[in-house]
Amino acid sequence: MLMHRVRAVVMIAAATAALGLAACGDSGDTTAQSSSTTAAPDASGSATGGSDASGAAVDPNAPTTTDPSATAVPGPRLPAATSVPPSKAAPSIAGTRCDTANGPEGALRVVIFPGGSVDCGTVMPVARTYGPTISTGRNRVVDGWSCGPSQTTGVLARCTRGESSFGFIPQ
């Protein structure tokens, strides 16, 4: 009984070593390639998927070449987009565009809304102070400006002082 098991282990080891040596053969040597990777016809006469040297199933629809100069087949030709659906369009925000200020997740564009009498040089120091704190969602007074979340679509936050106001919009 023990002798049969030893023989079986020795035979398996020899077969494994032979397969390993065959796999290490010269890439130009066609005799070292296994014929077990070819598909065998089924009862209807059509080829069925075989398996590769590792025993994994081979996809019959998989490309059959690894030639880097092979011609690629282009995908479908789609027409150019002619319009953006309203649900995906960015809102149009009127006002004077200033520089950017850091927001909680990146740069935000600062826009001075019409109706006031301030310039970018006046609002940017306030924007740079309040911008990183927008995510708190709290109202805050910065240098006399009352800043907080905005109710205007597309404007994340708004700062107001008298008749002047500016806001933060995503870039």
Side-chain angles (χ1 to χ4, degrees):
M1 179 82 162
L2 180 62
M3 193 63 151
H4 292 295
R5 285 187 184 171
V6 170
R7 267 191 222 154
V9 170
V10 169
M11 289 176 62
I12 290 172
T16 303
L19 284 174
L21 289 175
C24 293
D26 183 357
S27 62
D29 183 6
T30 57
T31 60
Q33 295 177 353
S34 171
S35 63
S36 66
T37 60
T38 59
D42 62 8
S44 67
S46 64
T48 59
S51 63
D52 63 9
S54 66
V58 174
D59 180 6
N61 297 323
T64 58
T65 183
T66 56
D67 181 9
S69 64
T71 304
V73 178
R77 294 187 188 268
L78 301 175
T82 57
S83 66
V84 176
S87 63
K88 303 290 183 190
S92 176
I93 308 294
T96 303
R97 303 292 199 256
C98 295
D99 200 5
T100 59
N102 288 333
E105 294 184 5
L108 298 171
R109 174 68 56 195
V110 177
V111 177
I112 300 174
F113 300 121
S117 60
V118 295
D119 61 6
C120 292
T122 304
V123 302
M124 285 311 296
V126 177
R128 288 189 178 106
T129 300
Y130 181 69
T133 64
I134 289 174
S135 65
T136 65
R138 296 186 181 138
N139 292 331
R140 180 175 171 198
V141 176
V142 179
D143 294 337
W145 290 81
S146 177
C147 299
S150 174
Q151 300 301 316
T152 305
T153 301
V155 179
L156 299 177
R158 182 182 198 108
C159 295
T160 306
R161 182 176 74 184
E163 297 292 320
S164 299
S165 63
F166 69 92
F168 298 85
I169 61 173
Q171 289 204 46

